[in-house]
Amino acid sequence: LYVKETEANLADLNETVTNIEQTRPVTQLTVDDVVKAKPEIVTRTEEMVKNGQFTVDGYDEKFPSLVMI
């Protein structure tokens, strides 16, 4: 019973390790790479620009500004 589950988990983990080993560093990613992986980004970005929204919700809360006032 547990043998099949364990084998399935190991197969998934092996696939994940292979994917990790074959990836490029983030610094080598292009916009085209990101759009290929997440095509909905284009639609969301177009909506944001159309609405004059040039900031991402929650960004300032997560990454506070370091600018001195």
Side-chain angles (χ1 to χ4, degrees), residues 11-27:
D12 287 344
L13 289 171
N14 282 328
E15 183 178 346
T16 300
V17 168
T18 300
N19 287 337
I20 291 169
E21 291 173 344
Q22 294 175 351
T23 60
R24 289 182 286 157
V26 173
T27 56

Side-chain angles (χ1 to χ4, degrees), residues 2-14:
Y2 294 112
V3 172
K4 287 188 179 193
E5 289 178 21
T6 303
E7 287 174 346
N9 286 339
L10 283 173
D12 287 344
L13 289 171
N14 282 328

Side-chain angles (χ1 to χ4, degrees), residues 27-58:
T27 56
Q28 292 180 6
L29 289 177
T30 66
V31 172
D32 291 335
D33 295 330
V34 175
V35 169
K36 184 177 177 183
K38 292 288 235 175
E40 63 272 14
I41 287 175
V42 173
T43 305
R44 176 73 177 124
T45 303
E46 288 172 348
E47 288 175 14
M48 290 173 69
V49 171
K50 180 179 167 186
N51 295 329
Q53 182 182 3
F54 299 101
T55 59
V56 177
D57 294 336

